Amino acid sequence: MPLHMNREAFITCAVTGAGSTQDRSPHVPRSPEQIAANAIEAAKAGAAIVHCHVRDPVTGAPRRDLALYRDVTERIRNSETDVVLNLTAGMGGDITTGPVERPFPLAADGTDLVGATERVAHLLECRPEICTLDCGTMNFAEANYIMANTPDMLREMGRMMTESGVRPEIEAFDTGQLWFAKRLVREGVLETPALVQLCMGVPWGAPDDLNTFMAMVNNVPDDWCFSAFSLGRNQMPYVAAAVLAGGNVRVGLEDNLMLDRGVLATNRQLVERAVEILHRLGVRVLGPEEVRTKLGLTKRQPV
């Protein structure tokens, strides 16, 4: 893809995620009320898209509870603040093996492996404009944890997403996952031009050095729309890197808990910092209705 700076970019706020961050910052939202409130505040600060997981309201542990997704969705849509809704479909593909000499049976704690229909059930009911599709299997930081997304699982999930009218956002953690995403487009499972999120610095996917980032960017077809992010202290540098490479921006507590050294952030503050960086670069920040037009999205109500 040719390099042209993107001077009209949108911001996605990844509000809470599914990582074990809930006890590391009091600002990580847990309940549907807190998640929706964070999403609304992020939208007011300049995020056109909010990317949402759900958590156990008491423990903060990640969940796949359809009622929690519906609660979050309805709170956001019933607010007076417009924003494009992006729900994760990354849950339900978790495998944690036993110790290295006895990997079976799988560990009950940390294994949550279900079928394609169950993994997308909340999408078919809540009908967000966008949902994520993690386009590959990978070792995901923890010693015996595998994020499992087989080719046939991705084909079936992608088919159901496309047929339901929910726009898949391909989450690519390495170049091979972009390779497979292009195969899904050729097979007609996903529509083109596709929407893709380049996920940088996630162990053990693509590292977030600029050479690797440009390899990722150069594997995105010219007519696709991409965003990019990195983790922790590199979240804000990637706000600039993404638009300089022609893409859009993602920030939020899913990927980074800090505003400055020793200062815990809120989602609103992270979006405000991203807006400031973009404005200083001469980039106009797009609003939600402009993003719907740009990406061909339709705002719908839950069934």
Side-chain angles (χ1 to χ4, degrees):
M1 127 174 287
L3 276 181
H4 300 291
M5 179 176 172
N6 184 9
R7 297 192 178 274
E8 293 189 334
F10 58 81
I11 298 171
T12 296
C13 181
V15 174
T16 188
S20 55
T21 57
Q22 68 271 18
D23 295 322
R24 292 166 52 198
S25 170
H27 303 308
V28 175
R30 299 183 178 203
S31 70
E33 182 179 12
Q34 292 170 341
I35 294 168
N38 269 245
I40 292 164
E41 288 299 302
K44 289 179 178 178
I49 302 173
V50 288
H51 170 58
C52 297
H53 294 244
V54 294
R55 293 177 177 266
D56 184 291
V58 176
T59 67
R63 288 287 179 266
R64 287 189 294 104
D65 191 314
L66 195 152
L68 294 176
Y69 278 112
R70 189 174 186 106
D71 195 352
V72 168
T73 300
E74 291 179 346
R75 288 177 184 273
I76 294 171
R77 285 189 168 141
N78 290 337
S79 76
E80 296 180 355
T81 301
D82 187 28
V83 68
V84 175
L85 186 60
N86 176 339
L87 296 182
T88 184
M91 307 296 290
D94 305 314
I95 297 176
T96 301
T97 70
V100 293
E101 298 297 344
R102 294 187 62 190
F104 289 101
L106 299 176
D109 183 17
T111 295
D112 178 32
L113 190 62
V114 298
T117 299
E118 189 171 347
R119 288 183 68 172
V120 303
H122 62 295
L123 307 173
L124 303 183
E125 180 167 323
C126 295
R127 302 203 299 175
E129 289 101 319
I130 301 172
C131 65
T132 57
L133 184 66
D134 299 340
C135 261
T137 294
M138 64 179 283
N139 297 324
F140 207 97
E142 289 83 357
N144 292 321
Y145 171 71
I146 301 165
M147 180 181 74
N149 294 289
T150 65
D152 276 357
M153 176 67 75
L154 291 170
R155 286 185 175 96
E156 184 61 14
M157 290 174 64
R159 181 191 63 78
M160 288 189 283
M161 292 170 182
T162 299
E163 290 179 356
S164 72
V166 179
R167 180 76 176 274
E169 178 191 64
I170 297 158
E171 290 210 334
F173 295 82
D174 216 333
T175 52
Q177 297 184 14
L178 286 170
W179 184 9
F180 185 68
K182 287 183 275 191
R183 169 65 67 87
L184 293 180
V185 169
R186 288 198 302 272
E187 292 176 356
V189 174
L190 303 181
E191 296 176 345
T192 191
L195 176 64
V196 65
Q197 183 75 248
L198 303 180
C199 308
M200 308 300 300
V202 179
W204 298 107
D208 61 2
D209 64 89
L210 289 179
N211 282 333
T212 304
F213 176 54
M214 289 315 304
M216 295 282 278
V217 171
N218 288 329
N219 273 279
V220 176
D222 291 351
D223 62 336
W224 289 19
C225 179
F226 80 90
S227 295
F229 72 89
S230 187
L231 306 184
R233 65 181 181 178
N234 284 337
Q235 182 173 85
M236 291 305 158
Y238 260 77
V239 170
V243 296
L244 289 171
N248 300 281
V249 170
R250 169 169 143 173
V251 295
L253 293 178
E254 176 171 354
D255 309 317
N256 167 44
L257 299 178
M258 310 303 292
L259 185 66
D260 294 302
R261 183 181 293 272
V263 180
L264 291 170
T266 66
N267 277 303
R268 179 171 191 144
Q269 289 172 325
L270 293 173
V271 174
E272 288 172 342
R273 180 68 59 84
V275 169
E276 179 184 0
I277 292 170
L278 294 180
H279 283 170
R280 288 181 178 273
L281 289 171
V283 175
R284 188 172 75 85
V285 178
L286 300 178
E289 196 54 42
E290 291 177 299
V291 170
R292 289 190 187 97
T293 300
K294 178 182 178 69
L295 301 181
L297 305 175
T298 302
K299 185 176 183 178
R300 301 180 296 170
Q301 293 299 315
V303 296

